[in-house]
Amino acid sequence: MPDTFPGQRLPRWENAPHVLQTQQFDRVFIDSLFGFTDQLIHEYRNRDDLWVRHIGKRRVLLSLMYEATTRTRATFLCAAMNLGIRTIDIADPQRTSSEVKGESFADSIRIYAGGNDHTYRIADVIVVRHREPERVFEAAQVSRVPIINAGNGPDQHPTQSLVDLYAIRRELGRLDGLHVGIVGDLRNGRTCRSLAYLLGKVGKQVNFTFISHPDLRMREDVCDYLRRHNVPFAERADYGEVLPTLDVLYVVRLQTERDPEQRADFARELVPLRVTPEVVRQLKPPARILHPLPVDSSVPEVSEIHPDLCAAARDKNYKEAQDPRLAWFRQADLGVPVRMALLVAVLQLW
Ligand code: NCD
């Protein structure tokens, strides 16, 4: 094991260290988590017989995803396996678990987290994604093991924000003095809400511009939080002159699953806000476009990122874009190491 380990400075939570909302993190935690992530990436790349591959042995991570997921589930499972943690993956529990027979969500959590000692316990950490925002808090109340919020309806997605911030730090070299534009469905996009809470809290001299259709504005809880913390933000309905002033443009797809009543042509009304080659041209060369993914390319004429840019961001030979501003695949790559570092912290493996 290395002599020095930034994880030693990770806070020791009292009781179960749930990860529920990004407001719970502070700059000290973020800096040490990211320092540890740097170290993991470096050691993982350079050494094979690594202490870290066994650090989680005898632990079990249970993934409980009530909503569709590609990256969050796969990267949590992979992060766990990289640390020697065993995994149980419960997909579609709304169809496959005893909740079908009327069991309460709380009782399900009591079973997964149950047992007074590890002989009887099924999971040591539970990663939950649920359509109903309050469920992750309910889980945290009844669970004796850490609950990690992997997306609670339109509310928050804290671990995605850790990935987003780590990507910003890596791409731009800093978390301070940034002008961050967030465009798209800010009302229902949980990733941008978590990002605004987190960067608004831990970044110094950060300011935001929220760019959205008037029906999809950032909700008042986030705006109120930023006001109370003296974080400047502006709201607008078009790009206007703002693009050349941005350091980051964070893109959120229209969250159609949150509002089934949504008018069918709504996506077309959002076309003026889509990211096109012309939008990219107006950004500063060191600026970065980030997207938590998925890009909704089901109707290519209205996708929030123009298909030419999607194709260019990482071509079929896995060659990176000529233009480093198209950064969203590099951002997604960071999901595994950041979640590895988080699991070390949450399970207090060090
Ligand atoms: C996001 C989510 O699930 O909120 N995806 C992700 O986890 N990276 C973004 C989205 O679905 O738009």
Side-chain angles (χ1 to χ4, degrees):
M1 291 191 183
D3 296 334
T4 58
F5 178 71
Q8 278 170 326
R9 293 197 303 274
L10 292 174
R12 299 269 155 186
W13 278 278
E14 296 296 318
N15 306 317
H18 305 300
V19 174
L20 302 177
Q21 305 177 295
T22 51
Q23 304 93 302
Q24 76 186 79
F25 300 119
D26 60 21
R27 183 62 181 257
V28 173
F29 176 81
I30 293 292
D31 284 344
S32 68
L33 186 81
F34 289 176
F36 181 43
T37 310
D38 291 342
Q39 188 180 347
L40 279 178
I41 290 173
H42 176 77
E43 298 215 9
Y44 228 72
R45 180 169 296 143
N46 297 316
R47 300 198 359 215
D48 217 26
D49 57 327
L50 204 55
W51 52 274
V52 81
R53 288 181 202 271
H54 312 287
I55 200 172
K57 69 172 188 245
R58 288 197 295 274
R59 307 299 178 106
V60 175
L61 174 144
L62 187 130
S63 158
L64 192 59
M65 300 294 192
Y66 288 81
E67 280 194 315
T69 164
T70 296
R71 276 149 291 273
T72 307
R73 173 176 166 205
T75 56
F76 260 117
L77 293 172
C78 179
M81 291 189 279
N82 287 354
L83 298 166
I85 298 170
R86 288 165 297 169
T87 61
I88 299 174
D89 179 21
I90 306 204
D92 283 340
Q94 67 276 30
R95 286 196 305 109
T96 61
S97 79
S98 285
E99 285 179 61
V100 173
K101 305 178 191 172
E103 184 166 48
S104 70
F105 174 75
D107 273 358
S108 305
I109 296 293
R110 286 189 184 98
I111 295 302
Y112 298 135
N116 269 331
D117 77 45
H118 68 269
T119 312
Y120 307 110
R121 190 175 299 154
I122 294 174
D124 299 286
V125 57
I126 304 175
V127 181
V128 185
R129 170 170 287 194
H130 206 292
R131 195 169 51 82
E132 295 162 20
E134 59 284 2
R135 291 298 182 199
V136 293
F137 301 103
E138 189 186 344
Q141 254 160 15
V142 300
S143 173
R144 58 194 317 146
V145 303
I147 298 292
I148 299 181
N149 176 4
N152 60 331
D155 183 14
Q156 287 225 16
H157 190 349
T159 67
Q160 178 64 44
S161 301
L162 296 176
V163 176
D164 297 340
L165 246 64
Y166 187 73
I168 291 172
R169 173 180 173 275
R170 206 172 150 106
E171 294 282 332
L172 289 135
R174 66 188 200 281
L175 293 176
D176 302 322
L178 297 170
H179 182 193
V180 177
I182 307 185
V183 62
D185 187 349
L186 314 188
R187 179 176 167 76
N188 301 305
R190 56 193 173 199
T191 60
C192 63
R193 291 170 41 78
S194 283
L195 178 66
Y197 272 120
L198 183 60
L199 193 58
K201 178 169 178 186
V202 306
K204 301 180 188 86
Q205 276 103 45
V206 166
N207 72 94
F208 294 100
T209 298
F210 300 141
I211 307 148
S212 72
H213 186 285
D215 292 347
L216 300 175
R217 286 170 52 194
M218 188 64 95
R219 289 179 203 244
E220 190 49 30
D221 63 316
V222 173
C223 298
D224 182 54
Y225 182 89
L226 296 176
R227 272 185 221 107
R228 279 190 285 115
H229 290 82
N230 297 318
V231 180
F233 68 92
E235 295 186 85
R236 42 186 313 143
D238 56 29
Y239 285 122
E241 308 292 305
V242 83
L243 288 168
T245 70
L246 296 178
D247 299 296
V248 174
L249 179 61
Y250 189 92
V251 187
V252 185
R253 78 181 162 88
L254 180 61
Q255 311 276 307
T256 36
E257 73 274 32
R258 301 278 168 238
D259 189 3
E261 307 284 281
Q262 216 164 54
R263 40 192 198 277
D265 56 349
F266 203 21
R268 291 194 189 273
E269 290 182 46
L270 304 183
V271 164
L273 295 182
R274 78 195 302 223
V275 179
T276 59
E278 179 48 32
V279 166
V280 179
R281 257 191 297 280
Q282 291 184 54
L283 291 168
K284 295 187 278 204
R288 292 292 182 266
I289 302 170
L290 299 180
H291 190 311
L293 302 180
V295 172
D296 181 355
S297 47
S298 54
V299 184
E301 308 85 73
V302 299
S303 59
E304 70 275 12
I305 297 191
H306 191 283
D308 290 351
L309 295 175
C310 290
R314 185 169 273 177
D315 76 8
K316 59 183 190 311
N317 300 318
Y318 266 65
K319 211 160 124 288
E320 286 298 318
Q322 299 268 313
D323 187 337
R325 289 174 290 194
L326 316 183
W328 51 88
F329 283 117
R330 291 196 302 278
Q331 170 193 5
D333 287 342
L334 301 171
V336 172
V338 170
R339 290 188 170 105
M340 284 170 71
L342 183 69
L343 288 175
V344 171
V346 166
L347 288 169
Q348 305 188 348
L349 295 177
W350 187 263

